[in-house]
Amino acid sequence: MLEKYPEKVLKNRKKHITIVDTNQACQQIEANTRTIPGIITQRGCAYAGCKGVVVGPIKDMVHIVHGPIGCAFYAWGTRRNKARADDNTPPEKMFSTLCVSTDMQESDIVFGGEKKLAKMIDEVVEMFHPRAVSICATCPVGLIGDDLGAVAKAAQERHGIQVLSFNCEGYKGVSQSAGHHIANNNLMENVIGTGPERDPNDKYVINILGEYNIGGDGWEMERILGDIGYKVNCVLTGDTSYLEIKNLHQAHLNLVQCHRSINYIAEMMETKYGTPWLKVNFIGVEATKKSLREMALCFGDEELIRKTEEVIAREEARIMPVIEHYRKICQGKTAFAFVGGSRSHHYMHLLRDLGMEVVVAGYEFAHRDDYEGRQVIPTLKIDADSKNIPELHLSPDPEKFKDAHVHLNMSKEKFDELNKKVPLNYYEGMQPDMKDGEIMIDDCNHHELEKMVRALKPDLVFAGVRDKYYVQKLGVPAKQMHSYDYSGPYAGYNGALNFARDVANAITTPAWKLVTAPWEKQTQ
Ligand code: SF4
């Protein structure tokens, strides 16, 4: 696979590929470094990470893409972040399906786009009356030096609503990961913690961070958690509102689903408010059960633990006979998972529920801690992202900070005991869940994926937007895991059923055996 590369490229790419050997204590993998020019990467840009992932789903804000219309295309609901009106957000305050762009032309690039942007903010406020507005910068805006912050500040004073500007120009980082970081910083600095206090008598109040409600995943998680007795304060940012994000600080515990895109807020909230966080995974029957049990331990309440077991038993009794049916079809099959910055790890668990093994796993935009665990963070080198994105140096809020054990309503001694059983404020990464001989690969490109598909012949590939179709051209089914190919939800118990059905359908359809290119037929 690597032999075609020039020597320098070969040396670089080798560091991004690890064959798992569990006898070695710590296998290092290179990640979050710039893709070598000329290689066709599957990565997105910083703007895609900021607008497309974190900020775009906030449903009661109008999000303006300041740039040429091409960048805005991907702002138009392509991630299937589902949202609906609710008690906090009436239908007339729902804007997440809109695509709003300043549509910069040549003259704007030459003479500057600030006036056009200011006019657009005035128009959207007049037309839609949103609770807040965001502006996301694209590459040309950074190159010509439009001052987004100044335009946003003036508009905020004119209209009396918050106007957030994100300097998330596409080139700002190695990948979309830089955009997540920029979005996290701005929300933390300017929105979180500005909402009113909630009823102090509310018990088991949680946030779900890094859950984007693709295909309704967040709704399924909320269903299960609601049945147990949790109060979901905010899902960041799936089906969420600006109002809910202002109140993010009011939860007793933060759950972190996608570690890569949201770990910054989890960590900053730990510093500023003392809120503990727990890495969870609601993708997979066993993974969901583990997460629910760890959550219950965090609150240490006997009634909550009993209710958790009751819901687990009820849901498993309902779905396991169907899962068993699909397991018979899927047992022994292999898959590649090459998605996002946490998803490959998440789906490994659900595929194991179906008797399948992920033999190659990797990420587009992960950092080393997503592979190797957070213990490597102090050893990470300063990367291109860190140079471009200022770290926020926060200190405990004098009024709102509480120790973690106070958030969880338990004594310090009990909390110390809990810490021995449950890995609070920690993520162990994907590698510990991989087996000997399996391949971990970072920033995998077209050439490498094609070579591995031909050599290892997986039964199914879980891919992103760009790699799905050429995998299918090789005669191997590929599921697009950024939008679920119009299916889902895949989280929780109902999600496991949907996923099992979709996977069984994908690997049993005879269509893939008919995919032979005409020129291949002629040589037979
Ligand atoms: S890389 Fe730049 S030009 Fe391309 S989509 Fe991203 S912001 Fe737009």
Side-chain angles (χ1 to χ4, degrees), residues 47-75:
Y47 152 75
C50 181
K51 164 69 178 77
V53 176
V54 181
V55 176
I58 306 170
K59 61 189 177 184
D60 54 350
M61 292 175 73
V62 171
H63 306 289
I64 298 174
V65 178
H66 186 36
I69 197 66
C71 307
F73 176 83
Y74 289 105

Side-chain angles (χ1 to χ4, degrees), residues 45 47 71 138-140 169-171:
C45 65
Y47 152 75
C71 307
T138 60
C139 292
E169 292 88 347
Y171 57 76

Side-chain angles (χ1 to χ4, degrees), residues 119-386:
K119 190 161 172 278
M120 165 136 279
I121 299 170
D122 294 348
E123 279 178 23
V124 297
V125 172
E126 192 185 319
M127 283 169 75
F128 302 115
H129 310 290
R131 288 171 176 151
V133 171
S134 81
I135 312 162
C136 289
T138 60
C139 292
V141 172
L143 299 177
I144 64 174
D146 275 1
D147 188 344
L148 259 60
V151 176
K153 190 164 176 267
Q156 199 160 291
E157 281 161 13
R158 273 200 310 284
H159 299 293
I161 59 167
Q162 195 160 26
V163 180
L164 297 169
S165 64
F166 295 87
N167 282 102
C168 55
E169 292 88 347
Y171 57 76
K172 268 281 167 67
V174 165
S175 68
Q176 53 268 62
S177 173
H180 306 147
H181 197 166
I182 291 166
N184 275 231
N185 281 359
N186 199 339
L187 292 176
M188 188 69 205
E189 217 173 6
N190 298 305
V191 186
I192 295 166
T194 59
E197 291 303 314
R198 68 177 296 145
D199 185 345
N201 296 319
D202 281 349
K203 284 165 87 180
Y204 321 132
V205 183
I206 51 165
N207 294 318
I208 312 174
L209 308 183
E211 167 49 49
Y212 302 102
N213 203 31
I214 310 287
D217 277 352
W219 291 337
E220 167 65 359
M221 288 157 68
E222 285 188 77
R223 178 187 73 84
I224 299 163
L225 295 170
D227 282 358
I228 292 174
Y230 291 101
K231 284 207 165 53
V232 180
N233 180 53
C234 178
V235 179
L236 201 69
T237 53
D239 191 20
T240 201
S241 67
Y242 167 74
L243 289 187
E244 287 161 357
I245 298 175
K246 285 167 76 117
N247 291 335
L248 202 75
H249 63 294
Q250 294 175 358
H252 303 136
L253 177 68
N254 278 329
L255 308 181
V256 171
Q257 173 77 357
C258 171
H259 175 257
R260 184 67 266 139
S261 64
I262 219 79
N263 75 91
Y264 316 98
I265 282 180
E267 214 175 307
M268 289 188 282
M269 285 185 69
E270 190 193 336
T271 307
K272 189 167 178 185
Y273 304 114
T275 321
W277 61 270
L278 175 70
K279 174 70 185 78
V280 292
N281 175 18
F282 282 89
I283 304 290
V285 181
E286 289 301 313
T288 299
K289 178 157 59 184
K290 180 170 179 275
S291 296
L292 292 176
R293 284 181 173 162
E294 288 186 344
M295 285 175 66
L297 284 178
C298 284
F299 288 95
D301 183 303
E302 288 306 319
E303 175 55 18
L304 191 73
I305 293 170
R306 189 196 63 73
K307 192 69 192 161
T308 299
E309 292 304 325
E310 188 185 304
V311 169
I312 291 171
R314 181 195 75 193
E315 294 292 313
E316 289 195 358
R318 179 172 68 87
I319 69 155
M320 286 319 280
V322 189
I323 295 283
E324 275 308 316
H325 163 75
Y326 288 121
R327 192 180 162 92
K328 286 188 190 121
I329 298 168
C330 302
Q331 183 81 43
K333 303 278 194 250
T334 60
F336 289 5
F338 186 67
V339 201
S342 289
R343 282 177 183 263
S344 298
H345 188 195
H346 293 164
Y347 279 90
M348 217 172 252
H349 293 273
L350 183 45
L351 286 160
R352 281 194 187 136
D353 290 340
L354 297 175
M356 292 177 69
E357 198 54 46
V358 176
V359 291
V360 178
Y363 293 125
E364 295 159 22
F365 52 82
H367 298 201
R368 274 186 57 204
D369 43 312
D370 302 301
Y371 293 102
E372 299 171 56
R374 285 181 69 90
Q375 77 278 359
V376 300
I377 291 178
T379 67
L380 296 184
K381 283 182 276 182
I382 299 275
D383 54 44
D385 283 0
S386 332

